[in-house]
């Protein structure tokens, strides 16, 4: 059985929990006080749907509305996890800008993306409804999930959903018969 290698970039405004999601998924841990990330790589091997995967998760530095899209995140990436905090309207707006820059940079609209509303453990501070997140993801033709790195809620589901999105995109691509004259 061959091992599928998948490289996933996780992007969003600083402080939305990108590193916490990666750490929870790969190491099974949650750290209350997280140091801002410049850029980091997480490697893990997983089995999903009877297939073996080697995952490289690129934990990016926090982006804002003024950050140029880093070109290194447009090369050899199979899928993108765009994260906002359900407690931050700004992070929700920034994730839209990141998406637009991503589509611009790649030149295609149907990129495997999972939109993630993180920090569901802070329901009492919620500013972005589930419906708003789902509606945005639908407009992008992307998957949507809410998570809590702190409570380990749906973190594995997030990465499994990303693998499904990547495989669906690859299968759709392979099935297209393209003839150039």
């Amino acid at each position: 059985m061959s091992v599928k290698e998948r490289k996933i970039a996780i992007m969003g405004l600083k402080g939305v929990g990108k590193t916490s999601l990666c750490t929870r998924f790969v190491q099974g841990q949650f750290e209350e006080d997280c140091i801002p990330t410049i850029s980091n790589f997480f490697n893990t091997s997983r089995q999903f749907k009877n297939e073996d995967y080697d995952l490289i998760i690129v934990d990016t530095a926090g982006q804002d509305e003024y950050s140029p899209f880093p070109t290194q995140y447009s090369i050899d990436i199979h899928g993108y996890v765009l994260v906002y905090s359900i407690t931050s309207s700004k992070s929700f707006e920034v994730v839209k800008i990141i998406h637009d820059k991503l589509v611009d940079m790649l030149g295609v609209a149907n990129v495997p993306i999972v939109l993630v509303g993180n920090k569901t453990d802070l329901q009492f501070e919620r500013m972005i409804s589930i419906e708003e997140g789902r509606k945005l993801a639908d407009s992008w033709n992307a998957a949507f999930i809410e998570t809590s790195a702190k409570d380990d809620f749906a973190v594995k589901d997030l990465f499994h959903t990303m693998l499904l999105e990547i495989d669906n995109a690859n299968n759709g691509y392979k099935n297209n018969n393209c003839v150039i004259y």
Side-chain angles (χ1 to χ4, degrees):
M1 183 188 298
S2 65
V3 176
K4 294 182 176 182
E5 184 177 290
R6 297 292 184 253
K7 194 171 184 182
I8 300 165
I10 187 162
M11 306 179 84
L13 185 68
K14 67 179 178 175
V16 296
K18 298 178 300 293
T19 300
S20 294
L21 287 167
C22 294
T23 305
R24 175 61 83 178
F25 179 66
V26 175
Q27 300 168 356
Q29 300 173 346
F30 178 80
E31 294 180 26
E32 279 297 330
D33 301 315
C34 212
I35 299 167
T37 304
I38 295 170
S39 186
N40 198 7
F41 292 87
F42 289 84
N43 296 294
T44 187
S45 296
R46 299 293 165 116
Q47 192 171 60
F48 177 64
K49 293 209 172 231
N50 295 322
E51 300 215 47
D52 292 320
Y53 290 88
D54 281 341
L55 301 178
I56 302 165
I57 303 168
V58 183
D59 180 14
T60 65
Q63 294 85 35
D64 62 31
E65 60 271 44
Y66 307 111
S67 301
F69 190 88
T71 52
Q72 71 264 32
Y73 303 139
S74 65
I75 301 166
D76 294 332
I77 302 289
H78 296 98
Y80 296 85
V81 175
L82 303 185
V83 184
Y84 66 91
S85 168
I86 67 163
T87 66
S88 167
S89 295
K90 181 174 182 176
S91 71
F92 191 66
E93 292 308 312
V94 166
V95 91
K96 295 174 188 177
I97 294 166
I98 293 169
H99 174 267
D100 292 346
K101 289 178 182 180
L102 173 64
V103 170
D104 252 11
M105 176 68 74
L106 298 176
V108 293
N110 58 343
V111 179
I113 292 174
V114 177
L115 177 63
V116 177
N118 192 33
K119 300 190 180 185
T120 59
D121 52 290
L122 301 175
Q123 286 294 335
F124 59 92
E125 295 177 37
R126 180 183 281 274
M127 297 180 82
I128 309 300
S129 70
I130 293 171
E131 294 76 26
E132 287 174 284
R134 190 170 287 126
K135 184 178 175 186
L136 181 59
D138 287 348
S139 76
W140 296 344
N141 197 26
F144 173 73
I145 194 165
E146 285 198 337
T147 61
S148 169
K150 183 176 184 177
D151 292 345
D152 197 14
F153 173 73
V155 176
K156 284 181 186 169
D157 295 340
L158 151 63
F159 288 98
H160 291 164
T161 300
M162 183 78 265
L163 290 174
L164 284 174
E165 290 295 303
I166 293 167
D167 284 350
N168 288 340
N170 286 342
N171 289 336
Y173 179 76
K174 286 178 191 169
N175 292 336
N176 288 338
N177 294 323
C178 182
V179 179
I180 300 173
Y181 293 94

